[in-house]
Amino acid sequence: MAQIEIVTTPDEQQLRKVALLDYLLHIAGLLLSMGILSVVALIINYVKRDDADGTIYRSHMDWMIATFWWTLFWVVIAFIPALLSFGLLSFLFLVPCLWFLYRMVKGLLRLLDGRPIP
């Protein structure tokens, strides 16, 4: 099978590295730092988003930003029944966390394939 070489500009190569770093920070933030690294990645997403206009990396930046905010929203929603049940329903926090992880891995795989997020 022939390999296809993707030629990109140095700016696009830099954006790819930033997007890769952001995905890894988001995933590490969920798994290792209770979200602190994910907040760092979110800030980088916002700073680099305009630089990514016109490239596939803009869709990745938007994807990560939307995923972060929707996950935060659902974590806050899950907090209410967990609080009212004195922690018996705290497993509800797993749902948005697993959804976050799924979306970050999906985005990372698309990035590694050189494809945008639809």
Side-chain angles (χ1 to χ4, degrees):
M1 181 180 287
Q3 296 252 341
I4 299 172
E5 184 176 332
I6 300 172
V7 179
T8 59
T9 66
D11 287 340
E12 287 179 338
Q13 292 171 358
Q14 184 65 27
L15 286 169
R16 183 181 187 279
K17 289 176 186 175
V18 168
L20 179 61
L21 172 68
D22 282 346
Y23 277 117
L24 295 176
L25 283 172
H26 278 295
I27 293 168
L30 175 67
L31 301 176
L32 303 174
S33 71
M34 296 181 62
I36 301 300
L37 292 175
S38 194
V39 172
V40 171
L42 180 71
I43 293 167
I44 295 170
N45 288 141
Y46 275 115
V47 169
K48 298 303 279 184
R49 182 169 62 167
D50 289 339
D51 294 346
D53 275 344
T55 68
I56 66 166
Y57 306 108
R58 174 62 188 244
S59 68
H60 287 278
M61 299 294 175
D62 290 340
W63 175 264
M64 287 183 269
I65 290 169
T67 300
F68 177 89
W69 289 116
W70 277 109
T71 301
L72 182 61
F73 172 77
W74 288 113
V75 164
V76 169
I77 295 300
F79 180 75
I80 296 166
L83 182 67
L84 294 175
S85 69
F86 302 104
L88 293 176
L89 297 176
S90 59
F91 67 90
L92 292 175
F93 287 109
L94 286 176
V95 175
C97 292
L98 291 174
W99 179 79
F100 178 87
L101 185 60
Y102 162 77
R103 285 184 51 106
M104 288 301 166
V105 170
K106 179 180 178 179
L108 177 61
L109 292 175
R110 289 187 73 91
L111 175 70
L112 293 174
D113 286 343
R115 298 185 300 163
I117 295 291

PDB file of all heavy atoms in Angstrom, residues 64-95:
ATOM      1  N   MET A  64     -12.653  20.953  20.827  1.00  0.00           N
ATOM      2  CA  MET A  64     -12.166  20.846  22.200  1.00  0.00           C
ATOM      3  C   MET A  64     -12.837  21.872  23.114  1.00  0.00           C
ATOM      4  O   MET A  64     -13.181  21.559  24.263  1.00  0.00           O
ATOM      5  CB  MET A  64     -10.644  21.001  22.236  1.00  0.00           C
ATOM      6  CG  MET A  64      -9.907  19.801  21.696  1.00  0.00           C
ATOM      7  SD  MET A  64      -8.116  19.955  21.829  1.00  0.00           S
ATOM      8  CE  MET A  64      -7.722  20.714  20.243  1.00  0.00           C
ATOM      9  N   ILE A  65     -13.027  23.083  22.603  1.00  0.00           N
ATOM     10  CA  ILE A  65     -13.685  24.126  23.398  1.00  0.00           C
ATOM     11  C   ILE A  65     -15.115  23.714  23.723  1.00  0.00           C
ATOM     12  O   ILE A  65     -15.547  23.782  24.882  1.00  0.00           O
ATOM     13  CB  ILE A  65     -13.640  25.478  22.660  1.00  0.00           C
ATOM     14  CG1 ILE A  65     -12.200  26.019  22.635  1.00  0.00           C
ATOM     15  CG2 ILE A  65     -14.593  26.485  23.310  1.00  0.00           C
ATOM     16  CD1 ILE A  65     -11.993  27.200  21.703  1.00  0.00           C
ATOM     17  N   ALA A  66     -15.860  23.288  22.720  1.00  0.00           N
ATOM     18  CA  ALA A  66     -17.255  22.881  22.939  1.00  0.00           C
ATOM     19  C   ALA A  66     -17.334  21.683  23.877  1.00  0.00           C
ATOM     20  O   ALA A  66     -18.196  21.636  24.768  1.00  0.00           O
ATOM     21  CB  ALA A  66     -17.923  22.553  21.605  1.00  0.00           C
ATOM     22  N   THR A  67     -16.437  20.732  23.709  1.00  0.00           N
ATOM     23  CA  THR A  67     -16.434  19.545  24.573  1.00  0.00           C
ATOM     24  C   THR A  67     -16.191  19.928  26.029  1.00  0.00           C
ATOM     25  O   THR A  67     -16.864  19.426  26.929  1.00  0.00           O
ATOM     26  CB  THR A  67     -15.370  18.533  24.098  1.00  0.00           C
ATOM     27  OG1 THR A  67     -15.671  18.143  22.753  1.00  0.00           O
ATOM     28  CG2 THR A  67     -15.328  17.313  24.985  1.00  0.00           C
ATOM     29  N   PHE A  68     -15.244  20.826  26.252  1.00  0.00           N
ATOM     30  CA  PHE A  68     -14.953  21.258  27.617  1.00  0.00           C
ATOM     31  C   PHE A  68     -16.184  21.888  28.264  1.00  0.00           C
ATOM     32  O   PHE A  68     -16.565  21.519  29.374  1.00  0.00           O
ATOM     33  CB  PHE A  68     -13.796  22.263  27.627  1.00  0.00           C
ATOM     34  CG  PHE A  68     -13.498  22.804  28.995  1.00  0.00           C
ATOM     35  CD1 PHE A  68     -12.601  22.158  29.822  1.00  0.00           C
ATOM     36  CD2 PHE A  68     -14.127  23.954  29.470  1.00  0.00           C
ATOM     37  CE1 PHE A  68     -12.338  22.638  31.105  1.00  0.00           C
ATOM     38  CE2 PHE A  68     -13.869  24.440  30.741  1.00  0.00           C
ATOM     39  CZ  PHE A  68     -12.968  23.785  31.557  1.00  0.00           C
ATOM     40  N   TRP A  69     -16.795  22.858  27.574  1.00  0.00           N
ATOM     41  CA  TRP A  69     -17.915  23.581  28.179  1.00  0.00           C
ATOM     42  C   TRP A  69     -19.147  22.702  28.366  1.00  0.00           C
ATOM     43  O   TRP A  69     -19.833  22.804  29.377  1.00  0.00           O
ATOM     44  CB  TRP A  69     -18.253  24.836  27.382  1.00  0.00           C
ATOM     45  CG  TRP A  69     -17.190  25.884  27.555  1.00  0.00           C
ATOM     46  CD1 TRP A  69     -16.366  26.386  26.585  1.00  0.00           C
ATOM     47  CD2 TRP A  69     -16.810  26.537  28.770  1.00  0.00           C
ATOM     48  NE1 TRP A  69     -15.501  27.309  27.133  1.00  0.00           N
ATOM     49  CE2 TRP A  69     -15.760  27.422  28.479  1.00  0.00           C
ATOM     50  CE3 TRP A  69     -17.262  26.451  30.094  1.00  0.00           C
ATOM     51  CZ2 TRP A  69     -15.154  28.219  29.446  1.00  0.00           C
ATOM     52  CZ3 TRP A  69     -16.656  27.253  31.063  1.00  0.00           C
ATOM     53  CH2 TRP A  69     -15.621  28.125  30.730  1.00  0.00           C
ATOM     54  N   TRP A  70     -19.443  21.817  27.409  1.00  0.00           N
ATOM     55  CA  TRP A  70     -20.587  20.908  27.579  1.00  0.00           C
ATOM     56  C   TRP A  70     -20.345  19.929  28.721  1.00  0.00           C
ATOM     57  O   TRP A  70     -21.253  19.599  29.478  1.00  0.00           O
ATOM     58  CB  TRP A  70     -20.899  20.159  26.283  1.00  0.00           C
ATOM     59  CG  TRP A  70     -21.751  20.976  25.364  1.00  0.00           C
ATOM     60  CD1 TRP A  70     -21.384  21.552  24.186  1.00  0.00           C
ATOM     61  CD2 TRP A  70     -23.128  21.325  25.565  1.00  0.00           C
ATOM     62  NE1 TRP A  70     -22.445  22.245  23.650  1.00  0.00           N
ATOM     63  CE2 TRP A  70     -23.532  22.113  24.476  1.00  0.00           C
ATOM     64  CE3 TRP A  70     -24.053  21.045  26.565  1.00  0.00           C
ATOM     65  CZ2 TRP A  70     -24.814  22.621  24.349  1.00  0.00           C
ATOM     66  CZ3 TRP A  70     -25.339  21.558  26.445  1.00  0.00           C
ATOM     67  CH2 TRP A  70     -25.706  22.335  25.349  1.00  0.00           C
ATOM     68  N   THR A  71     -19.109  19.467  28.842  1.00  0.00           N
ATOM     69  CA  THR A  71     -18.798  18.555  29.946  1.00  0.00           C
ATOM     70  C   THR A  71     -18.963  19.258  31.286  1.00  0.00           C
ATOM     71  O   THR A  71     -19.545  18.696  32.224  1.00  0.00           O
ATOM     72  CB  THR A  71     -17.361  18.003  29.811  1.00  0.00           C
ATOM     73  OG1 THR A  71     -17.244  17.326  28.561  1.00  0.00           O
ATOM     74  CG2 THR A  71     -17.024  17.054  30.947  1.00  0.00           C
ATOM     75  N   LEU A  72     -18.474  20.487  31.378  1.00  0.00           N
ATOM     76  CA  LEU A  72     -18.640  21.241  32.619  1.00  0.00           C
ATOM     77  C   LEU A  72     -20.126  21.429  32.948  1.00  0.00           C
ATOM     78  O   LEU A  72     -20.538  21.253  34.099  1.00  0.00           O
ATOM     79  CB  LEU A  72     -17.939  22.592  32.521  1.00  0.00           C
ATOM     80  CG  LEU A  72     -17.985  23.457  33.774  1.00  0.00           C
ATOM     81  CD1 LEU A  72     -17.295  22.753  34.944  1.00  0.00           C
ATOM     82  CD2 LEU A  72     -17.347  24.805  33.506  1.00  0.00           C
ATOM     83  N   PHE A  73     -20.915  21.743  31.931  1.00  0.00           N
ATOM     84  CA  PHE A  73     -22.351  21.893  32.128  1.00  0.00           C
ATOM     85  C   PHE A  73     -22.964  20.614  32.694  1.00  0.00           C
ATOM     86  O   PHE A  73     -23.707  20.646  33.680  1.00  0.00           O
ATOM     87  CB  PHE A  73     -23.022  22.261  30.798  1.00  0.00           C
ATOM     88  CG  PHE A  73     -24.523  22.244  30.847  1.00  0.00           C
ATOM     89  CD1 PHE A  73     -25.222  23.270  31.440  1.00  0.00           C
ATOM     90  CD2 PHE A  73     -25.234  21.175  30.295  1.00  0.00           C
ATOM     91  CE1 PHE A  73     -26.614  23.248  31.488  1.00  0.00           C
ATOM     92  CE2 PHE A  73     -26.617  21.151  30.336  1.00  0.00           C
ATOM     93  CZ  PHE A  73     -27.311  22.186  30.945  1.00  0.00           C
ATOM     94  N   TRP A  74     -22.638  19.461  32.090  1.00  0.00           N
ATOM     95  CA  TRP A  74     -23.229  18.199  32.541  1.00  0.00           C
ATOM     96  C   TRP A  74     -22.695  17.752  33.902  1.00  0.00           C
ATOM     97  O   TRP A  74     -23.404  17.090  34.665  1.00  0.00           O
ATOM     98  CB  TRP A  74     -23.067  17.110  31.490  1.00  0.00           C
ATOM     99  CG  TRP A  74     -23.981  17.369  30.333  1.00  0.00           C
ATOM    100  CD1 TRP A  74     -23.630  17.704  29.064  1.00  0.00           C
ATOM    101  CD2 TRP A  74     -25.420  17.368  30.353  1.00  0.00           C
ATOM    102  NE1 TRP A  74     -24.747  17.915  28.306  1.00  0.00           N
ATOM    103  CE2 TRP A  74     -25.869  17.708  29.070  1.00  0.00           C
ATOM    104  CE3 TRP A  74     -26.367  17.116  31.342  1.00  0.00           C
ATOM    105  CZ2 TRP A  74     -27.210  17.801  28.742  1.00  0.00           C
ATOM    106  CZ3 TRP A  74     -27.711  17.208  31.025  1.00  0.00           C
ATOM    107  CH2 TRP A  74     -28.122  17.548  29.732  1.00  0.00           C
ATOM    108  N   VAL A  75     -21.473  18.128  34.233  1.00  0.00           N
ATOM    109  CA  VAL A  75     -20.951  17.828  35.574  1.00  0.00           C
ATOM    110  C   VAL A  75     -21.731  18.626  36.616  1.00  0.00           C
ATOM    111  O   VAL A  75     -22.090  18.095  37.676  1.00  0.00           O
ATOM    112  CB  VAL A  75     -19.435  18.113  35.657  1.00  0.00           C
ATOM    113  CG1 VAL A  75     -18.951  18.195  37.098  1.00  0.00           C
ATOM    114  CG2 VAL A  75     -18.653  17.051  34.900  1.00  0.00           C
ATOM    115  N   VAL A  76     -22.016  19.882  36.311  1.00  0.00           N
ATOM    116  CA  VAL A  76     -22.809  20.702  37.237  1.00  0.00           C
ATOM    117  C   VAL A  76     -24.214  20.124  37.384  1.00  0.00           C
ATOM    118  O   VAL A  76     -24.749  20.030  38.493  1.00  0.00           O
ATOM    119  CB  VAL A  76     -22.858  22.174  36.761  1.00  0.00           C
ATOM    120  CG1 VAL A  76     -23.889  22.977  37.542  1.00  0.00           C
ATOM    121  CG2 VAL A  76     -21.476  22.807  36.875  1.00  0.00           C
ATOM    122  N   ILE A  77     -24.811  19.694  36.270  1.00  0.00           N
ATOM    123  CA  ILE A  77     -26.145  19.074  36.329  1.00  0.00           C
ATOM    124  C   ILE A  77     -26.095  17.786  37.145  1.00  0.00           C
ATOM    125  O   ILE A  77     -26.993  17.517  37.951  1.00  0.00           O
ATOM    126  CB  ILE A  77     -26.694  18.804  34.908  1.00  0.00           C
ATOM    127  CG1 ILE A  77     -26.917  20.119  34.154  1.00  0.00           C
ATOM    128  CG2 ILE A  77     -27.963  17.976  34.954  1.00  0.00           C
ATOM    129  CD1 ILE A  77     -27.905  21.070  34.794  1.00  0.00           C
ATOM    130  N   ALA A  78     -25.054  16.980  36.983  1.00  0.00           N
ATOM    131  CA  ALA A  78     -24.926  15.725  37.737  1.00  0.00           C
ATOM    132  C   ALA A  78     -24.686  15.981  39.214  1.00  0.00           C
ATOM    133  O   ALA A  78     -24.992  15.124  40.056  1.00  0.00           O
ATOM    134  CB  ALA A  78     -23.782  14.882  37.162  1.00  0.00           C
ATOM    135  N   PHE A  79     -24.167  17.152  39.545  1.00  0.00           N
ATOM    136  CA  PHE A  79     -23.900  17.482  40.941  1.00  0.00           C
ATOM    137  C   PHE A  79     -25.194  17.575  41.757  1.00  0.00           C
ATOM    138  O   PHE A  79     -25.223  17.184  42.927  1.00  0.00           O
ATOM    139  CB  PHE A  79     -23.133  18.807  41.016  1.00  0.00           C
ATOM    140  CG  PHE A  79     -22.810  19.235  42.414  1.00  0.00           C
ATOM    141  CD1 PHE A  79     -21.799  18.615  43.128  1.00  0.00           C
ATOM    142  CD2 PHE A  79     -23.524  20.263  43.023  1.00  0.00           C
ATOM    143  CE1 PHE A  79     -21.501  19.012  44.413  1.00  0.00           C
ATOM    144  CE2 PHE A  79     -23.234  20.664  44.314  1.00  0.00           C
ATOM    145  CZ  PHE A  79     -22.217  20.036  45.006  1.00  0.00           C
ATOM    146  N   ILE A  80     -26.256  18.046  41.137  1.00  0.00           N
ATOM    147  CA  ILE A  80     -27.523  18.256  41.855  1.00  0.00           C
ATOM    148  C   ILE A  80     -28.087  16.948  42.416  1.00  0.00           C
ATOM    149  O   ILE A  80     -28.320  16.845  43.620  1.00  0.00           O
ATOM    150  CB  ILE A  80     -28.530  19.009  40.963  1.00  0.00           C
ATOM    151  CG1 ILE A  80     -27.983  20.403  40.649  1.00  0.00           C
ATOM    152  CG2 ILE A  80     -29.894  19.094  41.623  1.00  0.00           C
ATOM    153  CD1 ILE A  80     -28.695  21.130  39.539  1.00  0.00           C
ATOM    154  N   PRO A  81     -28.300  15.914  41.589  1.00  0.00           N
ATOM    155  CA  PRO A  81     -28.820  14.670  42.190  1.00  0.00           C
ATOM    156  C   PRO A  81     -27.809  14.005  43.131  1.00  0.00           C
ATOM    157  O   PRO A  81     -28.206  13.358  44.103  1.00  0.00           O
ATOM    158  CB  PRO A  81     -29.141  13.772  40.999  1.00  0.00           C
ATOM    159  CG  PRO A  81     -28.464  14.367  39.837  1.00  0.00           C
ATOM    160  CD  PRO A  81     -28.246  15.812  40.131  1.00  0.00           C
ATOM    161  N   ALA A  82     -26.529  14.169  42.862  1.00  0.00           N
ATOM    162  CA  ALA A  82     -25.525  13.592  43.769  1.00  0.00           C
ATOM    163  C   ALA A  82     -25.600  14.267  45.122  1.00  0.00           C
ATOM    164  O   ALA A  82     -25.507  13.602  46.169  1.00  0.00           O
ATOM    165  CB  ALA A  82     -24.133  13.737  43.165  1.00  0.00           C
ATOM    166  N   LEU A  83     -25.796  15.564  45.123  1.00  0.00           N
ATOM    167  CA  LEU A  83     -25.904  16.302  46.379  1.00  0.00           C
ATOM    168  C   LEU A  83     -27.193  15.943  47.121  1.00  0.00           C
ATOM    169  O   LEU A  83     -27.177  15.689  48.331  1.00  0.00           O
ATOM    170  CB  LEU A  83     -25.861  17.809  46.103  1.00  0.00           C
ATOM    171  CG  LEU A  83     -25.923  18.728  47.311  1.00  0.00           C
ATOM    172  CD1 LEU A  83     -24.662  18.571  48.149  1.00  0.00           C
ATOM    173  CD2 LEU A  83     -26.086  20.169  46.867  1.00  0.00           C
ATOM    174  N   LEU A  84     -28.293  15.890  46.387  1.00  0.00           N
ATOM    175  CA  LEU A  84     -29.583  15.604  47.010  1.00  0.00           C
ATOM    176  C   LEU A  84     -29.679  14.171  47.552  1.00  0.00           C
ATOM    177  O   LEU A  84     -30.454  13.906  48.456  1.00  0.00           O
ATOM    178  CB  LEU A  84     -30.727  15.872  46.030  1.00  0.00           C
ATOM    179  CG  LEU A  84     -30.910  17.344  45.621  1.00  0.00           C
ATOM    180  CD1 LEU A  84     -31.990  17.469  44.553  1.00  0.00           C
ATOM    181  CD2 LEU A  84     -31.226  18.210  46.824  1.00  0.00           C
ATOM    182  N   SER A  85     -28.890  13.276  46.979  1.00  0.00           N
ATOM    183  CA  SER A  85     -28.933  11.881  47.433  1.00  0.00           C
ATOM    184  C   SER A  85     -27.808  11.566  48.414  1.00  0.00           C
ATOM    185  O   SER A  85     -27.536  10.401  48.690  1.00  0.00           O
ATOM    186  CB  SER A  85     -28.840  10.939  46.228  1.00  0.00           C
ATOM    187  OG  SER A  85     -27.544  11.012  45.657  1.00  0.00           O
ATOM    188  N   PHE A  86     -27.144  12.619  48.916  1.00  0.00           N
ATOM    189  CA  PHE A  86     -26.027  12.454  49.857  1.00  0.00           C
ATOM    190  C   PHE A  86     -24.932  11.558  49.285  1.00  0.00           C
ATOM    191  O   PHE A  86     -24.350  10.736  49.980  1.00  0.00           O
ATOM    192  CB  PHE A  86     -26.520  11.919  51.208  1.00  0.00           C
ATOM    193  CG  PHE A  86     -27.545  12.802  51.853  1.00  0.00           C
ATOM    194  CD1 PHE A  86     -28.876  12.438  51.843  1.00  0.00           C
ATOM    195  CD2 PHE A  86     -27.175  13.997  52.439  1.00  0.00           C
ATOM    196  CE1 PHE A  86     -29.830  13.259  52.425  1.00  0.00           C
ATOM    197  CE2 PHE A  86     -28.126  14.821  53.014  1.00  0.00           C
ATOM    198  CZ  PHE A  86     -29.460  14.462  53.015  1.00  0.00           C
ATOM    199  N   GLY A  87     -24.674  11.716  47.988  1.00  0.00           N
ATOM    200  CA  GLY A  87     -23.595  10.990  47.347  1.00  0.00           C
ATOM    201  C   GLY A  87     -23.959   9.652  46.754  1.00  0.00           C
ATOM    202  O   GLY A  87     -23.140   9.031  46.078  1.00  0.00           O
ATOM    203  N   LEU A  88     -25.175   9.180  46.986  1.00  0.00           N
ATOM    204  CA  LEU A  88     -25.566   7.869  46.448  1.00  0.00           C
ATOM    205  C   LEU A  88     -25.587   7.863  44.925  1.00  0.00           C
ATOM    206  O   LEU A  88     -25.376   6.826  44.302  1.00  0.00           O
ATOM    207  CB  LEU A  88     -26.934   7.451  46.993  1.00  0.00           C
ATOM    208  CG  LEU A  88     -26.982   7.156  48.488  1.00  0.00           C
ATOM    209  CD1 LEU A  88     -28.410   6.857  48.923  1.00  0.00           C
ATOM    210  CD2 LEU A  88     -26.058   5.999  48.825  1.00  0.00           C
ATOM    211  N   LEU A  89     -25.840   9.012  44.328  1.00  0.00           N
ATOM    212  CA  LEU A  89     -25.881   9.098  42.865  1.00  0.00           C
ATOM    213  C   LEU A  89     -24.619   9.744  42.299  1.00  0.00           C
ATOM    214  O   LEU A  89     -24.625  10.254  41.178  1.00  0.00           O
ATOM    215  CB  LEU A  89     -27.122   9.874  42.421  1.00  0.00           C
ATOM    216  CG  LEU A  89     -28.465   9.235  42.779  1.00  0.00           C
ATOM    217  CD1 LEU A  89     -29.612  10.134  42.374  1.00  0.00           C
ATOM    218  CD2 LEU A  89     -28.600   7.869  42.132  1.00  0.00           C
ATOM    219  N   SER A  90     -23.529   9.699  43.039  1.00  0.00           N
ATOM    220  CA  SER A  90     -22.297  10.332  42.574  1.00  0.00           C
ATOM    221  C   SER A  90     -21.717   9.643  41.337  1.00  0.00           C
ATOM    222  O   SER A  90     -20.908  10.231  40.627  1.00  0.00           O
ATOM    223  CB  SER A  90     -21.260  10.387  43.686  1.00  0.00           C
ATOM    224  OG  SER A  90     -20.960   9.093  44.148  1.00  0.00           O
ATOM    225  N   PHE A  91     -22.148   8.428  41.068  1.00  0.00           N
ATOM    226  CA  PHE A  91     -21.701   7.741  39.848  1.00  0.00           C
ATOM    227  C   PHE A  91     -22.135   8.499  38.592  1.00  0.00           C
ATOM    228  O   PHE A  91     -21.591   8.277  37.517  1.00  0.00           O
ATOM    229  CB  PHE A  91     -22.230   6.306  39.798  1.00  0.00           C
ATOM    230  CG  PHE A  91     -23.719   6.213  39.634  1.00  0.00           C
ATOM    231  CD1 PHE A  91     -24.285   6.168  38.373  1.00  0.00           C
ATOM    232  CD2 PHE A  91     -24.553   6.188  40.749  1.00  0.00           C
ATOM    233  CE1 PHE A  91     -25.660   6.092  38.218  1.00  0.00           C
ATOM    234  CE2 PHE A  91     -25.925   6.106  40.601  1.00  0.00           C
ATOM    235  CZ  PHE A  91     -26.488   6.069  39.334  1.00  0.00           C
ATOM    236  N   LEU A  92     -23.110   9.400  38.723  1.00  0.00           N
ATOM    237  CA  LEU A  92     -23.565  10.174  37.567  1.00  0.00           C
ATOM    238  C   LEU A  92     -22.456  11.051  36.983  1.00  0.00           C
ATOM    239  O   LEU A  92     -22.501  11.421  35.825  1.00  0.00           O
ATOM    240  CB  LEU A  92     -24.768  11.048  37.936  1.00  0.00           C
ATOM    241  CG  LEU A  92     -26.057  10.302  38.247  1.00  0.00           C
ATOM    242  CD1 LEU A  92     -27.132  11.270  38.706  1.00  0.00           C
ATOM    243  CD2 LEU A  92     -26.519   9.516  37.027  1.00  0.00           C
ATOM    244  N   PHE A  93     -21.439  11.349  37.791  1.00  0.00           N
ATOM    245  CA  PHE A  93     -20.306  12.127  37.285  1.00  0.00           C
ATOM    246  C   PHE A  93     -19.522  11.357  36.225  1.00  0.00           C
ATOM    247  O   PHE A  93     -18.823  11.962  35.412  1.00  0.00           O
ATOM    248  CB  PHE A  93     -19.356  12.515  38.426  1.00  0.00           C
ATOM    249  CG  PHE A  93     -19.898  13.577  39.331  1.00  0.00           C
ATOM    250  CD1 PHE A  93     -20.288  13.263  40.616  1.00  0.00           C
ATOM    251  CD2 PHE A  93     -20.021  14.890  38.895  1.00  0.00           C
ATOM    252  CE1 PHE A  93     -20.783  14.241  41.453  1.00  0.00           C
ATOM    253  CE2 PHE A  93     -20.518  15.874  39.725  1.00  0.00           C
ATOM    254  CZ  PHE A  93     -20.900  15.551  41.008  1.00  0.00           C
ATOM    255  N   LEU A  94     -19.633  10.049  36.251  1.00  0.00           N
ATOM    256  CA  LEU A  94     -18.913   9.240  35.268  1.00  0.00           C
ATOM    257  C   LEU A  94     -19.422   9.464  33.845  1.00  0.00           C
ATOM    258  O   LEU A  94     -18.644   9.387  32.896  1.00  0.00           O
ATOM    259  CB  LEU A  94     -19.028   7.756  35.614  1.00  0.00           C
ATOM    260  CG  LEU A  94     -18.201   7.276  36.783  1.00  0.00           C
ATOM    261  CD1 LEU A  94     -18.504   5.814  37.064  1.00  0.00           C
ATOM    262  CD2 LEU A  94     -16.727   7.479  36.506  1.00  0.00           C
ATOM    263  N   VAL A  95     -20.691   9.743  33.695  1.00  0.00           N
ATOM    264  CA  VAL A  95     -21.271   9.881  32.362  1.00  0.00           C
ATOM    265  C   VAL A  95     -20.625  11.036  31.588  1.00  0.00           C
ATOM    266  O   VAL A  95     -20.100  10.828  30.490  1.00  0.00           O
ATOM    267  CB  VAL A  95     -22.807  10.010  32.432  1.00  0.00           C
ATOM    268  CG1 VAL A  95     -23.401  10.286  31.059  1.00  0.00           C
ATOM    269  CG2 VAL A  95     -23.410   8.763  33.053  1.00  0.00           C
TER     270      VAL A  95
END
